[in-house]
Amino acid sequence: MTHRSHSTTTEVTRLHGGPASQAAGSRTWTRRRVLLLNATYEPLSAVTVRRAVVLILRGRADMVHADESGGAFHSPATAVPVPTVIRLRTYVRVPYRATVPLTRSALMHRDRFRCGYCGRPATTIDHVVPRSRGGAHNWENCVACCASCNHRKADRLLGELGWALRTRPIAPRGRHWGLIAAVKDIHPAWMQYIDAGAA
C-alpha cells in the first residue's frame, strides 16, 4: 500500500514537472479547483487539480469533464487532461450540514447576481438594515446590490427611502450551497450538477 502511494505521488510529480501545455502549468496545478462528484453525481466539494489527478491515477475517480483548452499533464507513460469535473467510483456518505456559511460567492448565487432593490446586475453586497443602525450580518439582512443602489441607500433604512425588496432574503438550504460558499470562481461545467443538487 505504501509502495503504491509513493509510486502515485512520484507519477504525479512527473506529470507536474514534465512538459505540459500552458493551460496545465504550475498555476493550474496549484490554484484551480475541480468539482468532485459523488458516485451518484451529487456535488461533494472542490479539490485541487493535483488531488483530482491523484484520484484518477489511483482509480478512485473518473474524468467527467476535461478543460476545453485541451491542456494535459504529460509523463513518459501517460497523459492526463486537465480535469474540471471528476466523479468518485464508490459512494461516500457525507454528514449533512444544515447551516450554510454566508460568503460573497454564495450570496451572489442566491440572488442570481441581481440587485435586491432594482434588479440590475449586482456588483456588491448590502445590509438591508445597515450595520451602523444595528443590522446583523446574516442571510436575512444581506442582499446582492448594484453600485448605484448601494451608493444611494448608504446607511438609510428602506422605509426612509420608500424602497422595497424584490424578494425576501432567506438562508439557502441544500448540500450544494456549502460548495458554492467555499469556492470563489465556479467553472461553467459545474453548474449542471450544482443546479441538479438544488432541485
Side-chain angles (χ1 to χ4, degrees):
M1 185 69 178
T2 303
H3 175 73
R4 182 179 180 183
S5 175
H6 174 74
S7 175
T8 303
T9 302
T10 302
E11 183 68 9
V12 172
T13 302
R14 287 175 181 165
L15 286 169
H16 183 204
S21 70
Q22 184 176 358
S26 60
R27 183 180 179 89
T28 296
W29 188 258
T30 57
R31 297 189 181 182
R32 287 184 55 178
R33 292 292 179 267
V34 177
L35 178 63
L36 174 65
L37 303 175
N38 214 333
T40 54
Y41 287 90
E42 258 186 299
L44 285 178
S45 65
V47 299
T48 63
V49 173
R50 179 187 181 89
R51 178 62 178 158
V53 172
V54 167
L55 288 170
I56 291 169
L57 289 175
R58 289 181 175 177
R60 296 180 182 174
D62 294 315
M63 181 88 66
V64 178
H65 292 286
D67 192 282
E68 293 180 356
S69 68
F73 296 98
H74 298 277
S75 79
T78 187
V80 179
V82 178
T84 57
V85 181
I86 64 172
R87 171 179 168 261
L88 291 176
R89 291 184 176 181
T90 305
Y91 177 78
V92 174
R93 187 177 297 278
V94 180
Y96 176 69
R97 183 179 182 181
T99 304
V100 179
L102 174 57
T103 65
R104 177 187 173 88
S105 174
L107 190 138
M108 286 292 186
H109 277 87
R110 182 200 69 177
D111 293 353
R112 301 184 181 276
F113 295 88
R114 292 289 171 179
C115 179
Y117 305 118
C118 70
R120 289 194 293 247
T123 56
T124 187
I125 292 172
D126 183 66
H127 292 86
V128 180
V129 177
R131 301 197 76 176
S132 62
R133 301 181 68 167
H137 183 68
N138 58 28
W139 285 106
E140 293 76 15
N141 192 49
C142 291
V143 293
C145 188
C146 69
S148 176
C149 286
N150 188 275
H151 178 72
R152 289 171 59 199
K153 181 174 176 291
D155 63 349
R156 289 178 287 182
L157 301 173
L158 298 188
E160 295 171 356
L161 294 162
W163 287 12
L165 287 166
R166 295 171 60 241
T167 58
R168 183 172 67 90
I170 60 173
R173 295 183 61 82
R175 191 190 304 280
H176 66 291
W177 281 103
L179 172 64
I180 293 173
V183 181
K184 183 178 179 181
D185 298 312
I186 294 178
H187 193 283
W190 299 12
M191 292 312 301
Q192 61 180 301
Y193 305 102
I194 290 174
D195 289 344

